[in-house]
Amino acid sequence: IYPNPSQTDLNIPFVLNADQQVQFDLVDLMGKTVSKLTEKRNYFQGQHSLKIKTPQVGNGVYFVLLRTSSGTLSQKLVIQR
């Protein structure tokens, strides 16, 4: 995920080993979802890059979760406005 820390825009590159439904969420340090970054949608196998606006949440440390039917991956994100 870049830039990290982020102010306004996020770029999220990811690679899928198979065609899957993918959803991205932003969670706080307690694991509570504070923003649904994307709705669940289908992606083909391969490399992808998602560009989105940084959600309107307070400054702090969060985790971006990539959720698929085969599991969840997380990456730390610092939001600093």
Side-chain angles (χ1 to χ4, degrees):
I1 296 175
Y2 63 94
N4 194 358
S6 180
Q7 293 180 345
T8 57
D9 293 321
L10 280 177
N11 293 289
I12 306 173
F14 61 101
V15 178
L16 297 175
N17 294 329
D19 298 353
Q20 295 189 53
Q21 285 190 334
V22 175
Q23 177 180 321
F24 288 92
D25 294 317
L26 186 72
V27 301
D28 63 16
L29 292 175
M30 300 301 290
K32 178 182 174 193
T33 299
V34 295
S35 179
K36 185 183 279 192
L37 300 176
T38 67
E39 295 293 328
K40 191 180 289 188
R41 77 176 254 217
N42 293 322
Y43 284 91
F44 293 112
Q45 175 182 354
Q47 294 185 337
H48 302 274
S49 185
L50 183 66
K51 184 174 183 174
I52 59 172
K53 294 283 184 197
T54 302
Q56 294 298 315
V57 295
N59 290 346
V61 178
Y62 298 89
F63 288 93
V64 174
L65 302 183
L66 180 156
R67 300 179 194 262
T68 70
S69 57
S70 61
T72 301
L73 296 174
S74 65
Q75 185 164 353
K76 184 170 77 171
L77 171 67
V78 176
I79 295 180
Q80 186 176 359
R81 301 196 195 276

